[in-house]
Amino acid sequence: MAAARARHAQRNRTLLMYSTATILVVLGGTYAAVPLYRAFCAATGFGGTPKTAMGQFEPERLHPVTGARRIKVTFNSATSDALPWKFTPQQKHVWVLPGETSLAFYTAKNTSNEDLIGIATYNVLPDRVAPYFAKVECFCFEEQKLLAGEEVDMPLFFFIDKDILDDPNARNVTDVVLSYTFFKARRNKHGQLEPDAPKDVVDASMGWSEYEHAKSTEESSESKSS
Amino acid sequence: MSFGRPGSSSILQVNPPDRGSFPLDHDGECKEMMKVYLKCLKEHGSASTPCRGVSKAYLDCRMQRGLMQRESWTNLGLGEETNEKTSGQPS
């Protein structure tokens, strides 16, 4: 009788250990999910985030795959209403081969009579092409100051990684759309320049409009203190 | 840091291009070369391959005038192209 009770006690203890361990692992997993998801998005280009570089491109990647089917890259442009700039692509589209570095141009004209600083954001459609769309050099994300009335050409040097041909999801894509949106720049409280537009507008310009967003901690702490 | 937001903490840190940003060509020094390139694209049905020589010439123009960091052509994927300067290009 006592032996059976001891066995039960032992089994119960083991069960308790396993349950506790499972609960702890799952709890830890939910906490880890946020930074892991962010790292996943940045690394894989999920949701149309162009994967521009892990540092440098090896020269071997930059050879056109001559037998492959050409991909049509169409250029789109948009400006925020707060920015009186005329911003247009200089070519409607370009047919490129995977692995082939190509040049494209946009032109921006400051139609107001004051010097303005703009900042551009960027998105690639369809989403599944984004991990392969690589910009070597462009005019985005850093401030661009145009003097009053100035018109300037903005080049963009990019390529579509030839690994796209190995991806069964993305290899049949023939139409890619590149969208640039120019915003007026303002200084945020860390002194950095950022787009002068509501957060959802900026997110939409980068292709995040389909996703729900949690309030940022900065916003929620501001609303608590005000 | 924002909670649950896709991307990183600051919008602008998300994905910088590899070599950064082209400095603005305020004086239009390479504008002629750009026009040559756009004309080439029109002539070849917007195909990028036949115009790579011209794009090399454009980037060379930028490098010569300090509008782009000097870079070896193989690093830019233009190692095999000849530097095509067609007529109408100002020296």
Side-chain angles (χ1 to χ4, degrees), chain A residues 25-41, chain B residues 3-5:
Chain A
V25 164
V26 171
L27 260 179
T30 53
Y31 275 108
V34 170
L36 279 180
Y37 179 73
R38 232 183 270 140
F40 169 73
C41 280
Chain B
F3 181 79
R5 181 176 182 273

Side-chain angles (χ1 to χ4, degrees), chain A residues 38 55 70 101 103 150 193 217, chain B residues 1 7 12 18 26 49 52:
Chain A
R38 232 183 270 140
R70 281 183 181 275
T101 46
L103 190 59
E150 187 180 11
L193 280 174
T217 47
Chain B
M1 291 293 229
L12 304 175
D18 185 46
H26 287 282
T49 316
R52 302 192 78 212

